Each structure stands twice: as structure tokens, then as C-alpha cells.
Amino acid sequence: MKNQHIVPHLWFDAQAEEAVDFYTSIFPQSKLNVKTYIEDTPSGDTPSLSFELMDYKFMAISAGPYFTLNPAISFMLLFNPASDEAADGNLESLWNKLMEGGTALMPLDAYPFSSKYGWVQDKHGVTWQLILSDGSGPERSNIVPAMMFVGENHGRAKEAIEYYVSIFPDSEVGEIAQYPGDMPPHTEGTVMYGDFRLGQQWFSAMDSAEDHDFNFNEAVSLMVQCKDQQEIDYYWEKLSAVPEAEQCGWLKDKFGVSWQIYPTAMEEMMAEGTREQINRVTEAFLKMKKFDIATLEKAYRGENS
């Protein structure tokens, strides 16, 4: 999508290339943009891939068995019959492909909120919610990252929505639907479904009082692409709440969601640089917590810091 400021980043053990090949073969409007190998990281030589699914940009790496993908952050796939006469069939076709080796977390069926909906964890561990929308309300992108607040985070979805909207410019709270009192184990008044816009991108959030064995972790992080050091400093100060999690541009916010505060200049360096330039930039950023663009640019040019 145009003006995508925040890019979901998927951490795989060793199968990022296989997973990206799979996704770009089954999703419409999909393609691999850039594949780069980052050498001599703590996880060894690491492939980093930039790709698009339904015109929505993602990143992925294979960086070892340190984090496990789970449903705490999933991706809603919106199929709108108002703009696509084949939406129903396209949804079912993609569902069947994602179910090959996958697991249905909620079976494809009719629900009170949609005539066709299903939630699947695919064979690589990524979770997708496929929904036939009614086309009402503000226009959304085809893909909406969805956060689930569970465990110690249960009941904090509304707080998180308001927190993120307060940080990102040109943002707004969208729909907020609360649990009624007759839906145990869910707590009355907590968020059954909420959405919010950060810049031009929509996200969703919900609380769940079910007994889940997962929570937010680094397997799915959100990359904020920054045009200059001032933006990096701003988002770092606003979002970082766990000092021990700060490393190589990564941070955790007060809810445990992982973010990467990432300069667009570095993306260009890693995509366009020679092997020697990429290795120098890698050596420089592995020493950093918050990225320093001037130091990265010096490393790219081969200048002593």
C-alpha cells in the first residue's frame, strides 16, 4: 500500500525464504522485493527479505529458534464484495491454501460479525484472520495487523489503542465494541473488537480472557521506517519501556509489543550496497541500541568513526 510507514517483521528459525516463497505463490498482488544476506550476526549468516502480499509490505528473517510465532499478533485479510465480485470465492481459495499443513484456530464459517470468517495458523506459524467484510465504515487496506491482549495484558486493549494514537501523527481511534456481561470468561466492558489508524494504516486490537499460553514477543515486530534521526529519537523515546530489550534498533513498549525503529537510509544501504559495504554497516549496527544514522553512513562509506 502507498504511504506504509509501519512494516510487520516476521522472525523465523530457518525457514524465512521457504515461507516467503509460499506466501508470494498464494497471495494475490504479491512479490519479493529484496533479499539480502546479513553476515556474521549472533545468529550466523541471516537472510533478510522484503516482500509484499496484497500490496502490503512485510519483512522476514531467519535468525534462529529464539522466538515462536503465535496469535498475539495476527493479520486480518479483508475481502470486500463491494469492490470485488469474487471476494467470497477468493477468500475460500486462500483459506484452503493457508490450511495446507496449518491449523484452524476458528473454523471457516458464518459468525454474528461476518457471513464468512476463519482464523488459521499456517504451516510456518503465522496466523491469519480471513473475513468477508460488508464494506461499511472508513476504507481499510486489505491487510490489518491485529493485536490480542491476554494474560497480564488483558483489559488493556483500549489503553493501548489510545496510547499508540497519541504517539503517531495523523492517527485516530476507529470502532470500539465492548464485551457484554453475558459472554464469560470475557470481562464486561473490555474490548471485544477495536480498530485504530496510525498514519495511513489501520490496526485492530481486542482483549481475551481465555487461558492462552502465548503473549507478545519478538517473532512479530513492527518496523517504524524513519526518514531522519529526529524521527528515530522521537519514536524511541515514546515507545521504549524495557531497557534490557533495546538492541540493534529493537525495543519493547509497555505492553510487551516489539518495535524496530529503523532508518529508511539503512534500508537503501542494505539493498544497494556492495558486500563490503553491507558487512561494514552490519558491524556498526550490531554495536548499537538506538540507530545512529550518521555512524551508519560513515560505515557505509568506509570512513573511520
Side-chain angles (χ1 to χ4, degrees), residues 184-200:
H186 302 295
T187 306
E188 182 177 4
T190 59
V191 176
M192 182 166 58
Y193 175 83
D195 64 9
F196 56 103
R197 181 176 58 81
L198 303 181
Q200 300 303 306

Side-chain angles (χ1 to χ4, degrees), residues 20-302:
V20 172
D21 285 345
F22 173 62
Y23 299 140
T24 54
S25 73
I26 66 171
F27 277 80
Q29 295 89 49
S30 66
K31 62 180 179 178
L32 173 66
N33 290 325
V34 178
K35 181 191 296 186
T36 303
Y37 287 90
I38 306 173
E39 298 181 348
D40 298 324
T41 76
S43 301
D45 294 347
T46 301
S48 175
L49 303 95
S50 170
F51 61 105
E52 294 177 24
L53 305 178
M54 299 168 73
D55 294 325
Y56 199 90
K57 187 176 178 182
F58 288 79
M59 293 283 292
I61 58 171
S62 289
Y66 303 106
F67 310 108
T68 301
L69 288 156
N70 69 61
I73 297 182
S74 59
F75 300 97
M76 297 187 71
L77 308 177
L78 308 184
F79 295 81
N80 187 356
S83 57
D84 179 10
E85 293 181 353
D88 190 303
N90 290 337
L91 184 159
E92 191 156 342
S93 175
L94 186 56
W95 169 269
N96 290 335
K97 292 171 183 175
L98 288 168
M99 275 295 295
E100 294 174 5
T103 302
L105 304 181
M106 292 180 67
L108 187 63
D109 206 342
Y111 293 87
F113 53 85
S114 175
S115 61
K116 184 166 284 189
Y117 168 87
W119 192 339
V120 56
Q121 185 165 36
D122 70 35
K123 62 185 177 182
H124 297 294
V126 181
T127 57
W128 311 88
Q129 300 183 58
L130 287 69
I131 185 167
L132 196 66
S133 65
D134 61 9
S136 64
E139 183 180 357
R140 268 61 165 170
S141 59
N142 293 324
I143 297 182
V144 175
M147 302 178 182
M148 189 192 308
F149 290 78
V150 303
E152 67 271 18
N153 277 323
H154 173 247
R156 301 185 74 190
K158 187 172 185 292
E159 176 192 352
I161 289 171
E162 293 173 346
Y163 174 65
Y164 297 138
V165 166
S166 75
I167 291 172
F168 289 83
D170 185 25
S171 299
E172 65 173 327
V173 177
E175 175 187 357
I176 300 289
Q178 298 176 323
Y179 285 107
D182 57 353
M183 289 185 65
H186 302 295
T187 306
E188 182 177 4
T190 59
V191 176
M192 182 166 58
Y193 175 83
D195 64 9
F196 56 103
R197 181 176 58 81
L198 303 181
Q200 300 303 306
Q201 294 172 249
W202 283 93
F203 295 77
S204 76
M206 66 175 290
D207 289 304
S208 176
E210 301 282 356
D211 185 18
H212 299 292
D213 62 355
F214 57 79
N215 214 321
F216 300 122
N217 67 14
E218 291 86 343
V220 178
S221 59
L222 300 172
M223 298 180 69
V224 182
Q225 298 188 313
C226 300
K227 65 180 184 296
D228 54 33
Q229 191 65 44
Q230 184 177 2
E231 275 200 347
I232 288 176
D233 295 345
Y234 170 80
Y235 288 112
W236 195 270
E237 178 183 356
K238 292 291 185 180
L239 288 167
S240 185
V242 185
E244 59 269 27
E246 296 178 350
Q247 186 171 359
C248 301
W250 293 65
L251 60 81
K252 282 190 177 184
D253 68 22
K254 61 183 180 179
F255 306 102
V257 176
S258 290
W259 299 78
Q260 297 184 58
I261 312 302
Y262 189 87
T264 54
M266 182 170 160
E267 184 176 26
E268 294 166 3
M269 295 176 204
M270 302 302 280
E272 301 173 5
T274 64
R275 183 73 264 164
E276 290 76 14
Q277 288 173 317
I278 292 171
N279 287 346
R280 290 199 300 267
V281 171
T282 300
E283 183 179 5
F285 80 64
L286 287 176
K287 301 173 184 176
M288 297 178 179
K289 292 185 176 181
K290 179 177 67 176
F291 281 141
D292 182 275
I293 295 177
T295 300
L296 293 170
E297 289 176 337
K298 286 182 179 179
Y300 186 76
R301 294 192 297 266

